[in-house]
Amino acid sequence: MEQIIGRKKEIELLTEYYHSGKAEFVAVYGRRRIGKTYLVRNLFRDKFAFDMSGSIEAPAEAQLSNFGFALREYGDSKQPIPTNWTEAFEALKQLLKAKMKGERLVVFIDELPCLDTPKSGFQQAFEHFWNGWAAYQSEIMLIVCGSATSWMIANLIDSHGGLHNRITHEMYLAPFTLRETELMLQAYGFSWTRISILQIYSILGGVPYYLSLLDKKQGVEGNVDRLFFSSHAELKREYGRLYSSLFRNSEAYMRVIEVLASCRQGMTRKEIMEKLKLKSGGTLTKVLSELINCDFVRGYNTRDKKIKQKDQIFQLTDLYTLFYMTFCHPGTTDTGYWTHLMGKPRQNTWYGLAFERVCMLHIPQIKQALGVSGVVTNTYSWQVKDDPVYGAGAQIDMLIERADNTVNICEMKFSQNEFVIDKDYDAVLRHKLSRFGASVSHRKAIHLTMVTTYGVVHNAYWNRVQSEVVADDLFSE
């Protein structure tokens, strides 16, 4: 078995389910390339009683053939290829019956949504297999995976049909954290500094497959040029494949992504509808919900209690998509584009924006660095408009409001060296603190927290800062 990097919690849970002594139906889902298949196959490789994988966009006949060949591999080599799904699952039932000896039998069906081709009768046969037999067999552990998140949620996890409440466990596989990314690169022989890992993470996110494409003989810029800007750049072509694999009718999702990519602060549902010229929001609600479920978008409320739930703000947070939409979507013929931008304002601006998103993905690590891991908190963004009395508007991207009547105002700044608070930025901070202070109870303590790569220079303007978090802190477990 290959070493599984990260995924400690998932391994513990799957192992627990394996030893539960009862029938288990586990649905593992998550975006394309996130490592679902890798995790299950490496954890249970020698324990499969049956496993097969659906083929993307293959017709029903081909899917049935693949299922039939898997039946032959795990049982009778003369097993006829099933002509429909009822026959297929009946044959699987008979195969498993013959293997029952009081020990756990793991059944793994990868890319399950691919098997549900139009008018194939797959869902009814699958439901009958589980509901009519497998659910009552304590030896059976059925694991299904799928990248088509919309199908997995609608037909399994939130099913209102025959599989309603039949899943015993669901498991969403999220992208790697910075620490898991570091462990993976170390296992692959990289000797990169943490600032380099942070930079590549801000472009690829924590998607294991994307990280596996990195070449340790090249630096960050060389790898980015090869993967995004060369003549056959693999990750430039990945964009369309990613969304089509996750969502049926992916065009609707990609339109929302493109709109959100154009607005750094995010947009309300109403603003998205206006931008897309939609008359009804039913479809948009579903699209936004599924994009949030896949970690592409976050939906958040501001601290303003007057803001209604329906007016929450939606913000594109997937780092790969953000990078693609910013630099690849317009198109460039410069195969050394990222190298040529090194140290220039456009690249520095990107790293600054991406660092904010990385921090949003590592709030538990920030809380740990602040020593408040055990304190109940809410995390908000906050903004206020121009006011004739209080002056210019202000915006704070991350507020951590704590149950101990303290609010951490987090200012996130990427820098290649220690960050310098100068006179102008000090004026910005004073204004933010003043405007925010006017909006909260006087009983709450307000702490200015600087989240930076290497810390803050302790100059004449530093003493306003009450706590610091540095990049190393984001790499904690």
Side-chain angles (χ1 to χ4, degrees), residues 159-177:
S159 172
H160 297 291
L163 290 174
H164 177 63
N165 285 338
R166 297 295 184 172
I167 298 280
T168 57
H169 303 284
E170 63 176 274
M171 180 176 289
Y172 174 69
L173 225 57
F176 275 174
T177 62

Side-chain angles (χ1 to χ4, degrees), residues 180-215:
E180 289 171 322
T181 299
E182 181 180 47
L183 290 173
M184 178 176 177
L185 293 181
Q186 288 174 348
Y188 279 42
F190 283 73
S191 56
W192 282 6
T193 62
R194 282 185 164 176
I195 193 68
S196 294
I197 296 173
L198 179 61
Q199 287 177 319
I200 205 66
Y201 189 93
S202 75
I203 294 169
L204 302 184
V207 181
Y209 177 75
Y210 300 168
L211 296 167
S212 74
L213 300 176
L214 296 171
D215 183 349

Side-chain angles (χ1 to χ4, degrees), residues 234-267:
E234 189 165 355
L235 292 186
K236 190 172 184 178
R237 301 193 300 271
E238 167 73 2
Y239 178 74
R241 299 169 183 167
L242 172 62
Y243 287 92
S244 62
S245 71
L246 284 167
F247 310 109
R248 295 185 176 181
N249 303 316
S250 59
E251 294 81 5
Y253 297 82
M254 294 169 75
R255 288 179 65 206
V256 172
I257 287 292
E258 290 179 15
V259 167
L260 290 177
S262 67
C263 184
R264 170 183 169 181
Q265 286 76 27
M267 304 170 72

